[in-house]
Amino acid sequence: MARDRGTGAVSSERTPLLNDYTTDGKGNSVQQNNACVSDHSVQQNNGALSDLEHGDAVQARPEAGKLAIATVALLIASTTNILVPKYGGQIIDIVSRDLRTEEEKADAFNTIKNTIVEILLIILIGSFATALRGWWFASSSERVVARLRKNLFQHLINQEIAFFDVTRTGELLSRLSEDTQIIKNAATTNLSEALRNLATALIGLGFMFQTSWRLTLLALAVVPVISVGVRKFGRYVRELSHKTQAAAAMAASIAEESFGAVRTVRSFAQEGHESLRYGEKVDETLKLGLKQAKVVGLFYGGMNGASTLSVVIVVIYGAYLTIYGSMTTGNLTSFILYSLTVGSSVSSLSGLYTTAMKAAGASRRVFQILDRTSSMLKSGNKCPLQDQDDGEVELDDVWFAYPSRPNNMVLQVPK
């Protein structure tokens, strides 16, 4: 029990000044008090929740209106991109007719001119919607990430001192700089491009079904196989990215420690030793990065081969349907353009999916820190009363130990 004679505040609970820590077999401090970890973090450790997929949605809530406007502009821009191949197919159908009289040729030419005017109008609307979409998505995402950085720093600065005793400063700086930068890239340009490609692919599939459902089903035959591969690839890249960021954070912490104590390093002539320590962590990061690059390259190659093979098969079957009169030449041309547009969007999505998985791995530690609850929720806000001149404080059953040496009591006042 501790009593403050100046304020008269009395605490009947025996509360430790710091969380309970023990050391593992390597001499590293391990936190034992699970009360300072939120339910979200516990679920993460059990595998129920994970990183960026279940991040704090409050970060983006103030931008809901702007994101809604950007989403509408996104749908308009994607629709206009798909409409151009449709009108292109109509022009091909017009010019492929058997035009014999001058009147038929004049009517066909007027129809083509009207179609071109419509295409120009569609392009103008699509360009405006694309600019609006890019502007609002980028600006909203910038604000979200800035808010994330502020909240992360505020959360870190309010942690108990024991947290900083067992967590390296370089690692925390890496979370504030490198990890948030990866999240920023994923939440700004990559997010906008991903939504654009997704909307274009879905709208394009709708036009493809309208043009020829047979060719569309044939083109979608490879989707189940690709989806299984993408899912396994995403999980692997996310875990690999998490390991890579952890190794990079460790290298940054070594550099920060060496520069901060450079006089001590120089006094004991340990420049070579510190360079060796830093080089080992950089090599570890390089090894993980090369492994990630190899996996990503194989994934891109497989996706490109599967999509190209699918387009070739679709073109062959489409030519067969056109020869036997089931499709017109214009419809086949429009369908091929739809297929190329959708294929390009899906290919871009695969690359953006890789970036998103890297961001998910990098964000895991960021959200774990945000979910961590300090064992000292508030700073001291008690002060002696003005009529108290002595300001005496009685200590009763107060104890303290550093987290790295939990068994060595630095301060212990008996009852």
Side-chain angles (χ1 to χ4, degrees):
M1 178 180 66
R3 178 189 301 274
D4 189 336
R5 292 183 177 178
T7 61
V10 178
S11 175
S12 60
E13 297 182 358
R14 184 178 186 273
T15 304
L17 297 181
L18 298 177
N19 292 332
D20 294 336
Y21 290 83
T22 60
T23 56
D24 57 14
K26 299 180 180 180
N28 299 324
S29 298
V30 180
Q31 187 174 344
Q32 294 285 342
N33 188 2
N34 293 330
C36 67
V37 181
S38 67
D39 294 337
H40 179 73
S41 296
V42 174
Q43 289 178 331
Q44 279 185 336
N45 295 333
N46 294 333
L49 296 177
S50 61
D51 45 66
L52 195 59
E53 297 174 357
H54 298 275
D56 192 356
V58 179
Q59 308 287 341
R61 187 172 299 169
E63 310 298 328
K66 297 177 181 178
L67 291 175
I69 297 175
T71 302
V72 174
L74 169 71
L75 295 176
I76 294 175
S78 300
T79 304
T80 55
N81 290 335
I82 295 297
L83 285 175
V84 174
K86 179 179 180 63
Y87 284 96
Q90 293 180 357
I91 293 176
I92 292 177
D93 279 338
I94 293 173
V95 299
S96 61
R97 296 175 185 171
D98 186 13
L99 304 176
R100 298 181 179 275
T101 64
E102 293 296 329
E103 182 179 357
E104 291 177 348
K105 294 179 180 180
D107 291 340
F109 185 71
N110 291 331
T111 303
I112 291 176
K113 288 194 297 184
N114 295 332
T115 304
I116 292 175
V117 171
E118 293 176 355
I119 291 176
L120 293 176
L121 182 61
I122 290 173
I123 292 175
L124 182 62
I125 296 175
S127 299
F128 177 77
T130 300
L132 186 63
R133 181 264 305 175
W135 177 24
W136 284 112
F137 266 119
S139 59
S140 299
S141 300
E142 289 282 355
R143 292 188 182 95
V144 169
V145 175
R147 195 176 297 115
L148 174 64
R149 283 176 170 169
K150 292 179 181 178
N151 291 343
L152 180 60
F153 180 81
Q154 182 180 6
H155 198 78
L156 286 173
I157 204 68
N158 286 305
Q159 295 297 317
E160 72 277 7
I161 300 300
F163 174 78
F164 297 96
D165 288 338
V166 298
T167 306
R168 297 186 176 185
T169 304
E171 180 182 353
L172 298 180
L173 293 177
S174 177
R175 305 306 173 193
L176 277 172
S177 57
E178 294 183 10
D179 290 358
T180 53
Q181 183 64 33
I182 293 176
I183 298 174
K184 174 185 175 182
N185 294 335
T188 53
T189 305
N190 293 332
L191 175 62
S192 177
E193 291 297 320
L195 293 176
R196 180 183 68 84
N197 289 320
L198 179 62
T200 301
L202 294 177
I203 296 174
L205 284 176
F207 280 92
M208 289 171 64
F209 269 108
Q210 181 185 10
T211 304
S212 175
W213 63 269
R214 297 178 182 177
L215 290 179
T216 305
L217 293 178
L218 181 61
L220 295 177
V222 298
V223 171
V225 178
I226 293 178
S227 61
V228 173
V230 167
R231 184 174 181 82
K232 293 183 177 180
F233 167 79
R235 291 178 178 177
Y236 184 76
V237 169
R238 181 171 53 187
E239 295 299 325
L240 195 59
S241 175
H242 178 66
K243 294 179 181 179
T244 303
Q245 290 303 120
M250 184 62 66
S253 66
I254 293 176
E256 187 271 336
E257 290 176 358
S258 300
F259 294 148
V262 66
R263 289 179 175 82
T264 304
V265 173
R266 187 64 56 84
S267 298
F268 289 91
Q270 293 296 308
E271 295 90 344
H273 175 69
E274 294 301 319
S275 297
L276 181 62
R277 289 179 60 208
Y278 183 76
E280 289 177 352
K281 291 302 177 182
V282 171
D283 290 339
E284 181 181 349
T285 306
L286 175 61
K287 183 179 179 181
L288 292 171
L290 293 176
K291 187 176 181 181
Q292 183 173 301
K294 179 181 178 181
V295 174
V296 171
L298 293 175
F299 174 73
Y300 284 165
M303 286 289 295
N304 182 72
S307 61
T308 303
L309 181 62
S310 175
V311 171
V312 170
I313 294 176
V314 166
V315 170
I316 293 175
Y317 187 61
Y320 170 81
L321 294 178
T322 303
I323 292 174
Y324 285 91
S326 299
M327 291 183 66
T328 64
T329 304
N331 286 338
L332 178 60
T333 304
S334 297
F335 189 89
I336 293 175
L337 294 176
Y338 293 150
S339 302
L340 293 176
T341 303
V342 172
S344 176
S345 299
V346 173
S347 178
S348 299
L349 280 174
S350 63
L352 296 172
Y353 180 75
T354 303
T355 305
M357 289 300 100
K358 292 180 181 179
S363 65
R364 178 178 303 175
R365 180 59 178 165
V366 172
F367 286 114
Q368 285 177 349
I369 293 176
L370 286 174
D371 291 333
R372 187 183 189 278
T373 303
S374 174
S375 62
M376 294 183 177
L377 300 181
K378 295 182 180 180
S379 302
N381 55 4
K382 303 295 183 182
C383 61
L385 300 176
Q386 294 181 357
D387 57 353
Q388 298 288 339
D389 297 330
D390 51 0
E392 295 181 4
V393 176
E394 177 184 346
L395 299 179
D396 186 5
D397 194 19
V398 178
W399 53 276
F400 170 79
Y402 287 104
S404 57
R405 299 183 299 275
N407 296 326
N408 299 329
M409 290 294 175
V410 177
L411 174 65
Q412 189 170 13
V413 180
K415 294 183 180 180

